[in-house]
Amino acid sequence: LTQVSRVAAQFPSTSKNKVELLQQLTSLRAEADRIQQSNSSLRAATERLQQEHETEIRSLRANTERVEQESRARTEGLQQEHEAEIRSLKADIERLQQANRSLRADKKGLQEASRAATERLHQAHEAEITSMIENTSAELEQARDSIIGSLQEQLDHLKKSHTAQKEKDKEEFEKHLCKFRLFCKHPSSGGIVERKLEVHKDSSLYEVTEEAYELLGLKDSHVPVDRCRLVRYDEYMETLDQSFDEKEDVPFGELVGGPRSYYTFELFMEVREKGQVFRPYRNRGLNLQLLVVDVEREEVGVPMAMRAELGWTVAELKREVAEHLHLSVEHMRVALETNNEGRLLSNSTNVLRSEGFYRKHTVFVCYDEKDFCVNFADSNFQKMLDKYANSILLSITLPPSLPTHHKPTHSLHEQDKASPVDADKREGEGEEAQKQDDGGSAGASGGE
Protein backbone atom coordinates (compact mmCIF):
# COMPACT_ATOMS: atom_id res chain seq x y z
CA LEU A 1 0.00 0.00 0.00
CA THR A 2 2.92 2.26 0.74
CA GLN A 3 4.39 1.53 -2.71
CA VAL A 4 1.04 2.31 -4.33
CA SER A 5 0.91 5.66 -2.41
CA ARG A 6 4.44 6.48 -3.58
CA VAL A 7 3.56 5.67 -7.17
CA ALA A 8 0.44 7.80 -6.92
CA ALA A 9 2.53 10.72 -5.67
CA GLN A 10 4.79 10.56 -8.74
CA PHE A 11 1.97 11.15 -11.23
CA PRO A 12 0.02 14.38 -11.72
CA SER A 13 -2.89 14.71 -9.37
CA THR A 14 -5.86 14.41 -11.62
CA SER A 15 -9.23 13.41 -10.32
CA LYS A 16 -9.41 10.41 -12.65
CA ASN A 17 -6.03 9.01 -11.59
CA LYS A 18 -6.81 9.49 -7.92
CA VAL A 19 -10.09 7.66 -8.20
CA GLU A 20 -8.43 4.69 -9.92
CA LEU A 21 -5.65 4.59 -7.35
CA LEU A 22 -8.10 4.76 -4.46
CA GLN A 23 -10.11 1.91 -5.93
CA GLN A 24 -6.98 -0.23 -6.29
CA LEU A 25 -5.95 0.71 -2.76
CA THR A 26 -9.34 -0.34 -1.41
CA SER A 27 -9.29 -3.70 -3.20
CA LEU A 28 -5.75 -4.43 -1.98
CA ARG A 29 -6.76 -3.63 1.63
CA ALA A 30 -9.76 -5.98 1.36
CA GLU A 31 -7.56 -8.75 -0.05
CA ALA A 32 -5.05 -8.28 2.77
CA ASP A 33 -7.85 -8.56 5.34
CA ARG A 34 -9.09 -11.80 3.78
CA ILE A 35 -5.55 -13.27 3.80
CA GLN A 36 -5.13 -12.38 7.50
CA GLN A 37 -8.47 -14.02 8.34
CA SER A 38 -7.48 -17.16 6.37
CA ASN A 39 -4.16 -17.31 8.19
CA SER A 40 -5.92 -17.03 11.55
CA SER A 41 -8.31 -19.91 10.69
CA LEU A 42 -5.39 -22.05 9.46
CA ARG A 43 -3.47 -21.47 12.69
CA ALA A 44 -6.53 -22.48 14.74
CA ALA A 45 -7.04 -25.63 12.66
CA THR A 46 -3.34 -26.51 12.96
CA GLU A 47 -3.40 -26.15 16.74
CA ARG A 48 -6.59 -28.25 16.94
CA LEU A 49 -5.05 -31.05 14.78
CA GLN A 50 -1.87 -31.00 16.86
CA GLN A 51 -3.87 -31.39 20.09
CA GLU A 52 -5.89 -34.27 18.60
CA HIS A 53 -2.65 -35.95 17.41
CA GLU A 54 -1.06 -35.73 20.86
CA THR A 55 -4.25 -37.12 22.46
CA GLU A 56 -4.20 -40.13 20.05
CA ILE A 57 -0.48 -40.77 20.74
CA ARG A 58 -1.08 -40.79 24.50
CA SER A 59 -4.02 -43.18 24.01
CA LEU A 60 -1.93 -45.54 21.80
CA ARG A 61 0.88 -45.58 24.36
CA ALA A 62 -1.54 -46.48 27.12
CA ASN A 63 -3.06 -49.29 25.01
CA THR A 64 0.40 -50.62 24.12
CA GLU A 65 1.46 -50.77 27.76
CA ARG A 66 -1.79 -52.53 28.71
CA VAL A 67 -1.36 -55.12 25.91
CA GLU A 68 2.24 -55.78 26.94
CA GLN A 69 1.21 -56.35 30.56
CA GLU A 70 -1.58 -58.74 29.51
CA SER A 71 0.82 -60.60 27.16
CA ARG A 72 3.41 -61.04 29.89
CA ALA A 73 0.78 -62.30 32.33
CA ARG A 74 -0.60 -64.78 29.73
CA THR A 75 2.93 -66.00 28.85
CA GLU A 76 3.78 -66.62 32.49
CA GLY A 77 0.54 -68.56 33.00
CA LEU A 78 1.17 -70.74 29.89
CA GLN A 79 4.74 -71.41 30.99
CA GLN A 80 3.57 -72.54 34.43
CA GLU A 81 0.94 -74.85 32.88
CA HIS A 82 3.57 -76.28 30.46
CA GLU A 83 5.99 -77.02 33.31
CA ALA A 84 3.22 -78.78 35.27
CA GLU A 85 2.38 -80.94 32.21
CA ILE A 86 6.07 -81.81 31.73
CA ARG A 87 6.37 -82.92 35.34
CA SER A 88 3.24 -85.05 34.95
CA LEU A 89 4.58 -86.66 31.75
CA LYS A 90 7.93 -87.44 33.39
CA ALA A 91 6.11 -89.19 36.25
CA ASP A 92 4.05 -91.23 33.73
CA ILE A 93 7.20 -92.20 31.81
CA GLU A 94 8.88 -93.35 35.02
CA ARG A 95 5.88 -95.53 35.88
CA LEU A 96 5.86 -97.05 32.38
CA GLN A 97 9.57 -97.84 32.56
CA GLN A 98 9.08 -99.60 35.91
CA ALA A 99 6.19 -101.64 34.47
CA ASN A 100 8.33 -102.54 31.41
CA ARG A 101 11.16 -103.79 33.62
CA SER A 102 8.69 -105.91 35.58
CA LEU A 103 7.28 -107.39 32.34
CA ARG A 104 10.76 -108.27 31.11
CA ALA A 105 11.52 -110.12 34.36
CA ASP A 106 8.20 -112.06 34.11
CA LYS A 107 8.91 -112.93 30.45
CA LYS A 108 12.36 -114.25 31.28
CA GLY A 109 10.90 -116.50 34.01
CA LEU A 110 8.24 -117.84 31.64
CA GLN A 111 10.84 -118.61 28.98
CA GLU A 112 12.98 -120.58 31.42
CA ALA A 113 9.95 -122.56 32.63
CA SER A 114 8.92 -123.28 29.01
CA ARG A 115 12.40 -124.55 28.12
CA ALA A 116 12.42 -126.89 31.13
CA ALA A 117 8.96 -128.31 30.28
CA THR A 118 9.95 -128.79 26.64
CA GLU A 119 13.09 -130.64 27.66
CA ARG A 120 11.10 -133.02 29.87
CA LEU A 121 8.53 -133.73 27.13
CA HIS A 122 11.27 -134.38 24.60
CA GLN A 123 12.97 -136.88 26.82
CA ALA A 124 9.65 -138.62 27.57
CA HIS A 125 8.62 -139.03 23.93
CA GLU A 126 12.04 -139.78 22.50
CA ALA A 127 11.97 -143.45 23.51
CA GLU A 128 8.40 -143.89 22.30
CA ILE A 129 9.13 -142.29 18.94
CA THR A 130 12.24 -144.43 18.44
CA SER A 131 10.30 -147.66 18.90
CA MET A 132 7.50 -146.51 16.61
CA ILE A 133 9.99 -145.65 13.89
CA GLU A 134 11.64 -149.04 14.07
CA ASN A 135 8.26 -150.82 13.83
CA THR A 136 6.97 -148.84 10.88
CA SER A 137 10.22 -148.75 8.87
CA ALA A 138 9.81 -152.30 7.61
CA GLU A 139 6.14 -151.76 6.69
CA LEU A 140 7.00 -148.54 4.88
CA GLU A 141 9.74 -150.18 2.83
CA GLN A 142 7.39 -152.87 1.59
CA ALA A 143 4.64 -150.38 0.78
CA ARG A 144 7.13 -148.05 -0.90
CA ASP A 145 8.40 -150.72 -3.28
CA SER A 146 4.91 -151.61 -4.46
CA ILE A 147 3.86 -147.95 -4.80
CA ILE A 148 7.02 -146.98 -6.67
CA GLY A 149 6.46 -149.73 -9.21
CA SER A 150 2.87 -148.67 -9.82
CA LEU A 151 3.75 -144.97 -9.98
CA GLN A 152 6.62 -145.58 -12.40
CA GLU A 153 4.26 -147.28 -14.84
CA GLN A 154 1.76 -144.43 -14.56
CA LEU A 155 4.54 -141.85 -14.92
CA ASP A 156 5.88 -143.41 -18.12
CA HIS A 157 2.40 -143.43 -19.59
CA LEU A 158 1.79 -139.79 -18.58
CA LYS A 159 5.15 -138.71 -20.02
CA LYS A 160 4.36 -140.25 -23.37
CA SER A 161 0.87 -138.74 -23.52
CA HIS A 162 2.13 -135.34 -22.27
CA THR A 163 4.93 -135.27 -24.86
CA ALA A 164 2.51 -136.12 -27.64
CA GLN A 165 0.01 -133.50 -26.46
CA LYS A 166 2.75 -130.90 -26.05
CA GLU A 167 4.00 -131.46 -29.59
CA LYS A 168 0.44 -131.29 -30.89
CA ASP A 169 -0.23 -128.05 -28.96
CA LYS A 170 3.05 -126.60 -30.19
CA GLU A 171 2.19 -127.38 -33.78
CA GLU A 172 -1.27 -125.91 -33.31
CA PHE A 173 0.18 -122.82 -31.63
CA GLU A 174 2.78 -122.39 -34.39
CA LYS A 175 -0.04 -122.21 -36.92
CA HIS A 176 -1.39 -119.07 -35.17
CA LEU A 177 1.95 -117.23 -34.87
CA CYS A 178 3.00 -114.22 -36.90
CA LYS A 179 6.80 -114.26 -37.26
CA PHE A 180 8.61 -111.07 -38.20
CA ARG A 181 12.04 -109.53 -38.39
CA LEU A 182 11.90 -106.52 -36.11
CA PHE A 183 14.16 -103.49 -36.61
CA CYS A 184 14.71 -100.39 -34.52
CA LYS A 185 17.10 -97.44 -34.43
CA HIS A 186 18.07 -97.85 -30.79
CA PRO A 187 18.13 -94.51 -28.93
CA SER A 188 21.10 -95.58 -26.78
CA SER A 189 23.54 -96.75 -29.47
CA GLY A 190 22.08 -94.92 -32.46
CA GLY A 191 22.48 -98.04 -34.62
CA ILE A 192 19.94 -100.33 -36.23
CA VAL A 193 19.05 -103.31 -34.01
CA GLU A 194 17.40 -106.48 -35.34
CA ARG A 195 15.35 -108.99 -33.36
CA LYS A 196 12.99 -111.90 -34.13
CA LEU A 197 9.41 -111.19 -33.09
CA GLU A 198 6.80 -113.96 -32.75
CA VAL A 199 3.28 -112.95 -31.66
CA HIS A 200 -0.14 -114.60 -31.65
CA LYS A 201 -2.54 -113.59 -34.37
CA ASP A 202 -5.25 -112.62 -31.86
CA SER A 203 -3.00 -110.17 -29.99
CA SER A 204 -3.90 -106.51 -30.19
CA LEU A 205 -1.61 -103.91 -31.71
CA TYR A 206 -0.89 -102.48 -28.25
CA GLU A 207 0.08 -105.93 -26.89
CA VAL A 208 2.41 -106.53 -29.84
CA THR A 209 3.95 -103.08 -29.35
CA GLU A 210 4.58 -103.81 -25.66
CA GLU A 211 6.18 -107.18 -26.50
CA ALA A 212 8.44 -105.54 -29.11
CA TYR A 213 9.23 -102.79 -26.59
CA GLU A 214 10.43 -105.39 -24.04
CA LEU A 215 12.28 -107.39 -26.71
CA LEU A 216 14.28 -104.35 -27.86
CA GLY A 217 15.15 -103.28 -24.30
CA LEU A 218 13.87 -99.73 -24.80
CA LYS A 219 12.86 -99.53 -21.14
CA ASP A 220 16.55 -99.46 -20.20
CA SER A 221 16.95 -96.39 -22.43
CA HIS A 222 14.28 -94.54 -20.38
CA VAL A 223 11.92 -94.33 -23.38
CA PRO A 224 8.22 -94.80 -22.43
CA VAL A 225 6.13 -97.16 -24.52
CA ASP A 226 3.73 -94.37 -25.54
CA ARG A 227 6.56 -92.82 -27.58
CA CYS A 228 6.91 -95.99 -29.67
CA ARG A 229 4.85 -97.47 -32.51
CA LEU A 230 5.17 -100.31 -35.03
CA VAL A 231 5.15 -99.59 -38.80
CA ARG A 232 5.69 -101.65 -41.93
CA TYR A 233 9.30 -101.60 -43.06
CA ASP A 234 11.11 -102.45 -46.31
CA GLU A 235 14.62 -103.50 -45.32
CA TYR A 236 15.97 -103.55 -48.88
CA MET A 237 14.87 -99.97 -49.58
CA GLU A 238 15.25 -98.93 -45.92
CA THR A 239 11.79 -97.36 -46.14
CA LEU A 240 9.00 -97.01 -43.57
CA ASP A 241 6.02 -98.11 -45.68
CA GLN A 242 2.80 -97.89 -43.70
CA SER A 243 1.60 -97.18 -40.16
CA PHE A 244 -1.25 -98.91 -38.32
CA ASP A 245 -3.07 -95.76 -37.18
CA GLU A 246 -6.52 -96.04 -35.56
CA LYS A 247 -6.42 -99.87 -35.70
CA GLU A 248 -5.66 -100.64 -32.06
CA ASP A 249 -8.77 -102.84 -31.68
CA VAL A 250 -8.15 -104.94 -34.81
CA PRO A 251 -6.39 -108.30 -34.18
CA PHE A 252 -2.80 -108.15 -35.33
CA GLY A 253 -3.25 -111.15 -37.61
CA GLU A 254 -5.82 -109.24 -39.66
CA LEU A 255 -3.53 -106.20 -39.91
CA VAL A 256 -0.66 -108.20 -41.44
CA GLY A 257 -2.67 -110.62 -43.59
CA GLY A 258 -2.86 -113.67 -41.33
CA PRO A 259 -0.33 -115.82 -39.42
CA ARG A 260 2.77 -116.78 -41.46
CA SER A 261 6.41 -117.63 -41.05
CA TYR A 262 7.50 -115.25 -43.83
CA TYR A 263 6.17 -111.87 -44.94
CA THR A 264 7.04 -109.59 -47.83
CA PHE A 265 7.71 -106.80 -45.36
CA GLU A 266 9.34 -106.36 -41.95
CA LEU A 267 8.38 -104.37 -38.86
CA PHE A 268 10.15 -101.27 -37.57
CA MET A 269 9.79 -99.85 -34.05
CA GLU A 270 9.64 -96.09 -34.55
CA VAL A 271 10.64 -93.95 -31.54
CA ARG A 272 9.56 -90.31 -31.51
CA GLU A 273 11.19 -87.48 -29.62
CA LYS A 274 9.52 -85.94 -26.59
CA GLY A 275 6.88 -83.45 -27.75
CA GLN A 276 6.84 -84.86 -31.31
CA VAL A 277 3.65 -86.29 -32.87
CA PHE A 278 3.50 -89.45 -34.98
CA ARG A 279 2.36 -88.86 -38.56
CA PRO A 280 0.28 -91.39 -40.45
CA TYR A 281 2.21 -93.24 -43.18
CA ARG A 282 0.48 -94.31 -46.36
CA ASN A 283 1.53 -97.45 -48.19
CA ARG A 284 4.74 -97.38 -50.27
CA GLY A 285 6.52 -94.35 -48.88
CA LEU A 286 9.86 -92.78 -49.89
CA ASN A 287 13.18 -92.97 -48.07
CA LEU A 288 15.08 -89.72 -48.62
CA GLN A 289 18.68 -89.04 -47.64
CA LEU A 290 18.95 -85.27 -47.10
CA LEU A 291 22.35 -83.66 -47.76
CA VAL A 292 22.61 -80.03 -46.63
CA VAL A 293 24.95 -78.04 -48.91
CA ASP A 294 26.76 -75.06 -47.35
CA VAL A 295 27.88 -72.91 -50.30
CA GLU A 296 29.83 -70.47 -48.10
CA ARG A 297 32.04 -73.17 -46.55
CA GLU A 298 31.81 -75.38 -49.66
CA GLU A 299 30.79 -78.36 -47.52
CA VAL A 300 28.22 -81.13 -47.89
CA GLY A 301 26.72 -82.36 -44.61
CA VAL A 302 26.21 -85.91 -43.45
CA PRO A 303 23.08 -87.71 -44.74
CA MET A 304 19.91 -87.37 -42.65
CA ALA A 305 17.04 -89.80 -43.19
CA MET A 306 13.52 -88.53 -43.86
CA ARG A 307 10.31 -90.23 -45.01
CA ALA A 308 8.16 -88.76 -47.78
CA GLU A 309 5.05 -89.66 -49.77
CA LEU A 310 4.84 -90.15 -53.54
CA GLY A 311 1.69 -88.04 -53.60
CA TRP A 312 3.43 -84.94 -52.20
CA THR A 313 4.06 -81.94 -54.41
CA VAL A 314 7.45 -80.24 -54.57
CA ALA A 315 6.08 -77.43 -52.38
CA GLU A 316 4.95 -79.94 -49.74
CA LEU A 317 8.36 -81.64 -49.88
CA LYS A 318 10.11 -78.30 -49.30
CA ARG A 319 7.81 -77.54 -46.39
CA GLU A 320 8.47 -80.93 -44.78
CA VAL A 321 12.23 -80.62 -45.36
CA ALA A 322 12.23 -77.16 -43.82
CA GLU A 323 10.38 -78.46 -40.76
CA HIS A 324 12.70 -81.47 -40.52
CA LEU A 325 15.88 -79.32 -40.74
CA HIS A 326 14.44 -76.32 -38.83
CA LEU A 327 14.92 -73.97 -41.80
CA SER A 328 12.77 -71.51 -43.74
CA VAL A 329 11.16 -72.36 -47.08
CA GLU A 330 11.60 -68.83 -48.40
CA HIS A 331 15.21 -69.09 -49.69
CA MET A 332 15.48 -72.89 -50.01
CA ARG A 333 16.48 -74.84 -53.09
CA VAL A 334 16.03 -78.59 -53.41
CA ALA A 335 17.74 -80.80 -56.00
CA LEU A 336 17.25 -84.52 -56.75
CA GLU A 337 20.26 -86.74 -57.47
CA THR A 338 19.56 -88.48 -60.80
CA ASN A 339 22.11 -90.06 -63.14
CA ASN A 340 24.97 -88.87 -60.91
CA GLU A 341 23.96 -85.21 -61.11
CA GLY A 342 21.70 -82.85 -59.20
CA ARG A 343 18.48 -81.79 -60.90
CA LEU A 344 16.73 -78.74 -59.44
CA LEU A 345 13.09 -79.25 -58.38
CA SER A 346 11.80 -75.87 -59.59
CA ASN A 347 8.10 -76.55 -60.29
CA SER A 348 6.35 -76.41 -56.91
CA THR A 349 3.11 -77.94 -58.21
CA ASN A 350 4.64 -81.10 -59.67
CA VAL A 351 4.00 -84.36 -57.82
CA LEU A 352 7.07 -86.30 -56.66
CA ARG A 353 6.01 -89.32 -58.74
CA SER A 354 6.17 -87.21 -61.90
CA GLU A 355 9.59 -85.85 -60.86
CA GLY A 356 11.07 -89.36 -60.95
CA PHE A 357 10.84 -90.31 -57.29
CA TYR A 358 10.31 -94.01 -56.58
CA ARG A 359 11.50 -95.56 -53.30
CA LYS A 360 14.95 -94.34 -52.22
CA HIS A 361 16.67 -91.15 -53.31
CA THR A 362 19.26 -88.57 -52.31
CA VAL A 363 18.07 -84.95 -52.08
CA PHE A 364 20.38 -81.94 -51.83
CA VAL A 365 19.16 -78.95 -49.83
CA CYS A 366 20.65 -75.45 -50.02
CA TYR A 367 19.57 -72.49 -47.91
CA ASP A 368 21.39 -69.29 -48.85
CA GLU A 369 19.73 -65.91 -49.51
CA LYS A 370 22.46 -64.58 -51.86
CA ASP A 371 22.83 -67.76 -53.88
CA PHE A 372 19.03 -68.12 -54.13
CA CYS A 373 18.84 -64.91 -56.20
CA VAL A 374 21.37 -66.25 -58.75
CA ASN A 375 20.30 -68.40 -61.70
CA PHE A 376 20.66 -72.08 -60.82
CA ALA A 377 23.04 -72.80 -63.71
CA ASP A 378 25.41 -70.05 -62.48
CA SER A 379 24.87 -70.58 -58.73
CA ASN A 380 27.34 -71.92 -56.23
CA PHE A 381 24.77 -74.62 -55.42
CA GLN A 382 25.13 -76.03 -58.96
CA LYS A 383 28.93 -75.85 -58.70
CA MET A 384 28.87 -77.77 -55.39
CA LEU A 385 26.57 -80.44 -56.92
CA ASP A 386 28.89 -80.84 -59.90
CA LYS A 387 31.91 -81.04 -57.59
CA TYR A 388 30.18 -83.61 -55.39
CA ALA A 389 29.11 -85.74 -58.38
CA ASN A 390 32.66 -85.83 -59.82
CA SER A 391 34.49 -86.49 -56.56
CA ILE A 392 36.33 -89.72 -55.77
CA LEU A 393 36.68 -90.94 -52.19
CA LEU A 394 39.95 -92.74 -51.46
CA SER A 395 40.40 -94.75 -48.28
CA ILE A 396 44.15 -95.36 -47.86
CA THR A 397 45.80 -97.61 -45.28
CA LEU A 398 49.54 -96.97 -44.83
CA PRO A 399 52.05 -99.44 -43.32
CA PRO A 400 53.55 -98.59 -39.94
CA SER A 401 56.40 -96.08 -40.27
CA LEU A 402 59.96 -97.26 -39.65
CA PRO A 403 61.91 -95.93 -36.64
CA THR A 404 64.14 -92.94 -37.38
CA HIS A 405 67.32 -94.83 -36.42
CA HIS A 406 66.52 -97.73 -38.82
CA LYS A 407 68.33 -97.63 -42.13
CA PRO A 408 67.80 -100.04 -45.05
CA THR A 409 70.65 -102.49 -45.40
CA HIS A 410 69.66 -104.07 -48.73
CA SER A 411 70.10 -102.54 -52.12
CA LEU A 412 67.56 -102.74 -54.89
CA HIS A 413 69.59 -105.47 -56.51
CA GLU A 414 69.53 -107.53 -53.29
CA GLN A 415 65.78 -107.05 -52.94
CA ASP A 416 65.25 -108.36 -56.46
CA LYS A 417 67.05 -111.53 -55.43
CA ALA A 418 64.65 -112.20 -52.55
CA SER A 419 62.39 -115.23 -52.65
CA PRO A 420 58.85 -114.99 -54.09
CA VAL A 421 57.45 -115.62 -50.62
CA ASP A 422 59.27 -112.55 -49.28
CA ALA A 423 58.01 -110.53 -52.24
CA ASP A 424 54.41 -111.54 -51.54
CA LYS A 425 54.88 -110.67 -47.89
CA ARG A 426 56.18 -107.22 -48.81
CA GLU A 427 53.18 -106.69 -51.05
CA GLY A 428 50.81 -107.61 -48.19
CA GLU A 429 52.56 -105.19 -45.83
CA GLY A 430 52.63 -102.39 -48.41
CA GLU A 431 50.22 -99.60 -49.09
CA GLU A 432 46.54 -100.60 -49.48
CA ALA A 433 44.12 -98.27 -51.32
CA GLN A 434 40.39 -98.56 -51.71
CA LYS A 435 38.81 -96.37 -54.37
CA GLN A 436 35.11 -95.56 -54.38
CA ASP A 437 33.72 -93.68 -57.38
CA ASP A 438 30.40 -91.88 -56.98
CA GLY A 439 30.64 -90.54 -60.51
CA GLY A 440 30.06 -93.74 -62.51
CA SER A 441 32.41 -95.67 -64.78
CA ALA A 442 34.20 -92.55 -66.10
CA GLY A 443 35.07 -91.43 -62.60
CA ALA A 444 36.26 -94.93 -61.71
CA SER A 445 38.61 -95.11 -64.67
CA GLY A 446 39.95 -91.63 -63.86
CA GLY A 447 40.56 -92.69 -60.25
CA GLU A 448 42.45 -95.80 -61.36
Side-chain angles (χ1 to χ4, degrees), residues 436-447:
Q436 177 182 353
D437 182 12
D438 292 335
S441 58
S445 60

Side-chain angles (χ1 to χ4, degrees), residues 4 162 170-171 175 201 247 250 268 279 291 370 402:
V4 171
H162 179 69
K170 185 178 180 181
E171 293 176 358
K175 294 179 182 179
K201 67 181 182 64
K247 297 180 181 179
V250 181
F268 192 93
R279 295 185 177 181
L291 296 177
K370 296 180 180 178
L402 296 175

Side-chain angles (χ1 to χ4, degrees), residues 141-414:
E141 289 180 359
Q142 295 176 0
R144 183 189 62 183
D145 295 338
S146 61
I147 292 172
I148 287 175
S150 177
L151 290 176
Q152 188 64 39
E153 294 177 357
Q154 296 179 8
L155 183 61
D156 294 339
H157 177 71
L158 289 174
K159 282 183 178 179
K160 291 179 182 179
S161 60
H162 179 69
T163 303
Q165 185 64 32
K166 189 176 181 180
E167 292 177 355
K168 184 178 179 181
D169 293 343
K170 185 178 180 181
E171 293 176 358
E172 187 68 22
F173 185 76
E174 289 284 341
K175 294 179 182 179
H176 296 83
L177 286 181
C178 302
K179 300 181 180 180
F180 285 95
R181 295 172 64 197
L182 175 65
F183 296 86
C184 176
K185 185 176 181 182
H186 207 279
S188 297
S189 61
I192 299 297
V193 179
E194 180 181 354
R195 297 287 186 272
K196 289 183 179 180
L197 178 65
E198 297 182 358
V199 294
H200 196 270
K201 67 181 182 64
D202 295 331
S203 301
S204 64
L205 179 61
Y206 182 77
E207 292 172 347
V208 177
T209 303
E210 281 191 334
E211 188 170 347
Y213 176 81
E214 295 292 338
L215 185 62
L216 293 168
L218 295 176
K219 187 176 182 180
D220 298 335
S221 302
H222 304 289
V223 177
V225 69
D226 56 355
R227 282 170 49 193
C228 305
R229 74 168 178 178
L230 289 174
V231 295
R232 288 194 180 192
Y233 178 62
D234 188 342
E235 181 194 10
Y236 181 74
M237 289 295 180
E238 298 179 352
T239 305
L240 303 178
D241 278 343
Q242 185 180 9
S243 58
F244 304 105
D245 298 297
E246 299 180 356
K247 297 180 181 179
E248 289 79 5
D249 298 331
V250 181
F252 192 71
E254 296 183 13
L255 292 178
V256 297
R260 301 176 192 171
S261 298
Y262 173 76
Y263 291 85
T264 58
F265 59 91
E266 291 81 25
L267 292 180
F268 192 93
M269 177 67 85
E270 189 179 12
V271 181
R272 64 176 175 84
E273 297 294 335
K274 189 175 182 180
Q276 187 181 3
V277 179
F278 282 127
R279 295 185 177 181
Y281 294 159
R282 299 183 183 91
N283 194 14
R284 312 290 290 177
L286 298 176
N287 180 21
L288 302 182
Q289 296 293 325
L290 303 181
L291 296 177
V292 180
V293 180
D294 191 341
V295 295
E296 292 186 357
R297 299 181 180 179
E298 296 185 355
E299 294 179 353
V300 179
V302 296
M304 289 180 286
M306 174 183 162
R307 189 188 184 279
E309 301 284 350
L310 281 173
W312 286 358
T313 62
V314 175
E316 290 174 337
L317 174 64
K318 288 183 178 180
R319 185 169 62 251
E320 295 295 331
V321 169
E323 184 178 350
H324 189 75
L325 300 177
H326 305 290
L327 298 175
S328 175
V329 188
E330 185 177 0
H331 301 97
M332 179 189 292
R333 277 176 170 170
V334 178
L336 174 65
E337 184 183 29
T338 55
N339 298 325
N340 201 33
E341 63 179 10
R343 177 167 60 84
L344 181 67
L345 303 178
S346 56
N347 193 343
S348 300
T349 59
N350 282 357
V351 182
L352 299 185
R353 185 182 289 104
S354 63
E355 289 286 352
F357 284 83
Y358 176 58
R359 293 287 282 165
K360 185 178 180 181
H361 294 279
T362 299
V363 175
F364 299 93
V365 181
C366 179
Y367 180 80
D368 189 273
E369 296 183 8
K370 296 180 180 178
D371 196 61
F372 183 80
C373 300
V374 182
N375 189 20
F376 176 69
D378 301 328
S379 65
N380 293 328
F381 185 30
Q382 168 62 20
K383 295 177 183 178
M384 287 293 298
L385 295 181
D386 183 68
K387 181 178 179 181
Y388 182 82
N390 294 281
S391 298
I392 299 174
L393 177 64
L394 299 178
S395 179
I396 302 174
T397 303
L398 297 177
S401 59
L402 296 175
T404 55
H405 63 274
H406 179 78
K407 296 181 179 180
T409 57
H410 300 285
S411 63
L412 293 175
H413 179 68
E414 292 174 343

Side-chain angles (χ1 to χ4, degrees), residues 40-59:
S40 299
S41 63
L42 288 175
R43 287 193 194 95
T46 303
E47 291 176 356
R48 186 173 61 257
L49 290 175
Q50 187 173 3
Q51 291 175 359
E52 292 176 356
H53 183 64
E54 291 176 353
T55 303
E56 289 179 357
I57 290 174
R58 285 193 295 273
S59 175

